[in-house]
Amino acid sequence: MSLINIALDGPAAAGKSTIAKQVASKLSMIYVDTGAMYRAITYKYIRTNQTEDFEALIKNTTLELTYDETKGQRVMLDNEDVTDYLRENDVTNNVSYVASKEPVRSFAVKKQKDLAAKKGIVMDGRDIGTVVLPNAELKVYMIASVEERAERRQKENELRGIESNLEKLKTEIEQRDNYDMNREISPLRKADDAVTLDTTGKSIETVTNEILKMVDQIK
């Protein structure tokens, strides 16, 4: 089949990154984790004592995605591998705010568009189908219940040795949903031509196969 781009959008912990990796692997496509880009910039924002001069922050930033055969996709920020720090609680709790700033958004979106220019990309985020890849051949809007998303995030935190409380995670996810959906720049919303996919109660394999079936229908 001809090279296509696949856009996966949805709220926090809906399973976008996990499924995007699986789909990309099955189709021998390139996976682009846009959330990691925003998390990396957020990490720098925190390390620079939460400067509000986002123009200056971005002006002095280099950001690249690389691939390691053992560790997978790595995020290089200012020539430093920061991948292992991007899921820390302070980054998670600030990323929606930092990602809503115009200089940050413009910087990341340009990189994302450049990466997808030759097609063959699976990209996940919150504005991929609406802003970054409006002409993607397949757009999927992934959702899941708040309860399940909080449980997923807690399991992720446990694997990374990060302490978390389930009820607090539910509250944080609801707050992040509200912020992402109501921000002024590139709010989280379903593209008009996207397919809604509820992942609640579904295994990774099941969701992956549902998207692969959608890809088959494009042929």
Side-chain angles (χ1 to χ4, degrees):
M1 63 179 290
S2 300
L3 288 178
I4 65 171
N5 284 332
I6 300 174
L8 303 183
D9 286 305
K16 301 183 300 296
S17 296
T18 300
I19 299 303
K21 292 174 187 176
Q22 291 292 316
V23 171
S25 176
K26 295 287 186 181
L27 298 174
S28 298
M29 296 173 69
I30 297 171
Y31 166 59
V32 177
D33 183 355
T34 65
M37 293 182 175
Y38 292 111
R39 284 177 175 273
I41 299 170
T42 302
Y43 177 71
K44 181 172 183 176
Y45 163 78
I46 293 169
R47 289 211 311 189
T48 53
N49 299 315
Q50 300 186 341
T51 175
E52 293 301 309
D53 189 348
F54 288 97
E55 287 281 3
L57 184 74
I58 291 302
K59 184 178 180 180
N60 299 304
T61 295
T62 61
L63 181 63
E64 300 296 335
L65 300 181
T66 63
Y67 186 80
D68 182 278
E69 290 188 2
T70 303
K71 297 180 178 180
Q73 184 172 275
R74 310 299 291 176
V75 183
M76 303 300 295
L77 175 72
D78 300 334
N79 299 314
E80 176 188 356
D81 186 343
V82 298
T83 312
D84 295 337
Y85 305 110
L86 302 186
R87 292 288 172 178
E88 293 180 348
N89 285 332
D90 54 352
V91 173
T92 297
N93 293 334
N94 284 280
V95 65
S96 285
Y97 172 71
V98 173
S100 71
K101 299 303 178 182
E102 195 281 330
V104 175
R105 209 83 204 169
S106 295
F107 173 82
V109 167
K110 183 181 185 305
K111 283 191 170 292
Q112 292 156 18
K113 285 180 177 289
D114 288 345
L115 287 169
K118 294 182 179 180
K119 297 202 174 185
I121 295 292
V122 181
M123 192 176 290
D124 72 290
R126 284 167 178 72
D127 63 347
I128 309 306
T130 55
V131 175
V132 183
L133 302 177
N135 297 317
E137 285 77 5
L138 176 62
K139 302 177 187 178
V140 180
Y141 189 78
M142 297 174 59
I143 61 173
S145 68
V146 171
E147 291 75 14
E148 180 149 336
R149 288 190 283 143
E151 290 173 0
R152 291 173 182 173
R153 184 54 52 83
Q154 186 176 50
K155 289 178 182 177
E156 289 175 1
N157 288 345
E158 289 174 354
L159 290 173
R160 295 185 173 93
I162 301 174
E163 293 186 9
S164 58
N165 174 275
L166 184 60
E167 292 304 316
K168 184 178 180 182
L169 285 173
K170 289 180 183 178
T171 299
E172 289 174 351
I173 284 174
E174 288 175 334
Q175 291 174 341
R176 186 169 179 185
D177 285 352
N178 182 65
Y179 191 94
D180 288 344
M181 291 175 179
N182 293 286
R183 68 191 181 200
E184 184 176 349
I185 301 174
S186 298
L188 167 64
R189 66 178 179 84
K190 176 188 172 185
D192 293 338
D193 54 348
V195 178
T196 299
L197 179 54
D198 191 340
T199 67
T200 306
K202 294 180 179 178
S203 68
I204 293 172
E205 182 181 11
T206 296
V207 176
T208 300
N209 286 336
E210 288 189 31
I211 293 178
L212 292 177
K213 288 179 182 177
M214 296 178 196
V215 174
D216 284 339
Q217 293 173 0
I218 297 174
K219 294 181 180 180

